[in-house]
Amino acid sequence: KKVNILTENKYSQIDLIKQATLDAQKYHTFEEMILDFLVGIPKNQLPILFVCAIAGIAYGDEIKICNIQHWPTILKSKMMKEINIPRMEFINDLVAAAYGVLSSEPSEMFQLYMGPEAEKPAILPDKTKAVIGLGTGLGESLLVKETSGSKKWLAVHTEGGYADFAPHTDLEFELLKYLQKKYQSICIPIERCLSGPGLLTIYQFLLAKKGGSSEDIKNTSEEIVSSALEGKSELAKDALSLFANIYGCLLYTSPSPRDQRGYRMPSSA
């Protein structure tokens, strides 16, 4: 199987040797998980360069995974010796996702908003792009194109998930107060709502607000999504709807005083 990669603004294809989905919670350390992944790969096909996209923080030799609490800090120099890979690089997961967007096919793209029906602006291919991803947290990054030289795309990671949750409706203000009490903090990061754990928290908020039986208790975001989409739970549908409304606000922009058309979203969103 071939996969596309983007190098120096040119598409190339490489052979895919192995892919797998591993449950991080089942491993005591990151190194243990990687060693398990490498099992079965012929010696002459083992990597000489290891690039890992992580939801975490990398400072020099130390790498901390944010949302897997039982994993100790990764020491890159130690890991290189244990796994016997001569070079390792760790990058932010949304930086990796942003570069992945550049190799997307047109058929994989969908324009969410196009402005008034009478005026349909085209997507501007060379303009700055925002990349947003939800998982155990909320990640955000930017794609910026160089204006001179090689004009390469540069991915810039942000900590957008730590921006304050800004409610818009009465229900969202109630949710904010619930979160402030739950986390004993005035400032609530937006990823407390927009993430897998965030969806579960929204559901628990609505369950406490509206009341429910023991049958209504959900323990995972997957249960909530499946119950909502299959029409098994009105409470799950309400939670998913509130979640989607808050998510939509990430693309929302109040009309600028200079914008006579009064757009509410970027035309190329």
Side-chain angles (χ1 to χ4, degrees), residues 85-132:
I85 294 178
R87 184 182 173 192
M88 286 186 172
E89 299 294 339
F90 288 84
I91 63 174
N92 180 266
D93 55 343
L94 260 291
V95 166
Y99 283 124
V101 166
L102 296 176
S103 63
S104 298
E105 299 292 338
S107 61
E108 298 174 301
M109 311 295 277
F110 180 80
Q111 189 165 350
L112 295 178
Y113 184 78
M114 302 183 73
E117 190 64 27
E119 198 177 332
K120 293 188 175 181
I123 294 175
L124 304 175
D126 292 335
K127 297 298 183 182
T128 299
K129 297 170 174 55
V131 179
I132 302 170

Side-chain angles (χ1 to χ4, degrees), residues 125-232:
D126 292 335
K127 297 298 183 182
T128 299
K129 297 170 174 55
V131 179
I132 302 170
L134 304 183
T136 53
L138 169 65
E140 300 178 19
S141 61
L142 296 173
L143 277 169
V144 183
K145 196 167 190 179
E146 291 180 336
T147 57
S148 60
S150 60
K151 294 190 176 181
K152 293 188 298 184
W153 283 99
L154 300 177
V156 182
H157 98 273
T158 74
E159 295 297 337
Y162 293 110
D164 285 354
F165 168 43
H168 292 78
T169 66
D170 290 343
L171 183 60
E172 289 175 11
F173 273 103
E174 288 184 52
L175 173 60
L176 175 61
K177 290 185 178 298
Y178 174 87
L179 293 169
Q180 288 172 331
K181 184 176 180 180
K182 177 180 175 70
Y183 294 107
Q184 294 294 296
S185 174
I186 294 176
C187 299
I188 299 298
I190 183 66
E191 73 173 5
R192 292 293 194 192
C193 305
L194 293 182
S195 61
L199 176 58
L200 182 58
T201 299
I202 289 174
Y203 182 85
Q204 291 167 342
F205 157 68
L206 292 176
L207 184 63
K209 175 180 170 62
K210 299 182 179 182
S213 66
S214 58
E215 295 180 355
D216 293 317
I217 296 174
K218 309 290 184 190
N219 296 311
T220 66
S221 56
E222 288 83 1
E223 288 181 76
I224 297 166
V225 172
S226 62
S227 294
L229 296 182
E230 293 169 14
K232 294 180 178 179

Side-chain angles (χ1 to χ4, degrees), residues 13-156:
Q13 286 197 324
I14 59 173
D15 292 315
L16 179 64
I17 296 171
K18 182 176 181 178
Q19 63 180 0
T21 300
L22 304 176
D23 185 352
Q25 300 297 334
K26 295 181 179 179
Y27 296 90
H28 295 97
T29 66
F30 178 73
E31 293 88 341
E32 180 186 343
M33 185 178 71
I34 297 302
L35 284 169
D36 190 25
F37 174 78
L38 293 175
V39 170
I41 298 178
K43 191 172 182 179
N44 66 339
Q45 292 183 326
L46 287 172
I48 58 173
L49 169 62
F50 176 94
V51 180
C52 180
I54 59 165
I57 303 168
Y59 288 116
D61 194 46
E62 295 187 0
I63 296 93
K64 178 63 179 175
I65 308 292
C66 290
N67 295 310
I68 306 177
Q69 303 300 326
H70 69 278
W71 277 0
T73 298
I74 302 165
L75 296 177
K76 187 166 71 171
S77 56
K78 179 184 176 186
M79 185 175 169
M80 288 169 64
K81 293 177 182 177
E82 289 182 358
I83 300 181
N84 195 28
I85 294 178
R87 184 182 173 192
M88 286 186 172
E89 299 294 339
F90 288 84
I91 63 174
N92 180 266
D93 55 343
L94 260 291
V95 166
Y99 283 124
V101 166
L102 296 176
S103 63
S104 298
E105 299 292 338
S107 61
E108 298 174 301
M109 311 295 277
F110 180 80
Q111 189 165 350
L112 295 178
Y113 184 78
M114 302 183 73
E117 190 64 27
E119 198 177 332
K120 293 188 175 181
I123 294 175
L124 304 175
D126 292 335
K127 297 298 183 182
T128 299
K129 297 170 174 55
V131 179
I132 302 170
L134 304 183
T136 53
L138 169 65
E140 300 178 19
S141 61
L142 296 173
L143 277 169
V144 183
K145 196 167 190 179
E146 291 180 336
T147 57
S148 60
S150 60
K151 294 190 176 181
K152 293 188 298 184
W153 283 99
L154 300 177
V156 182

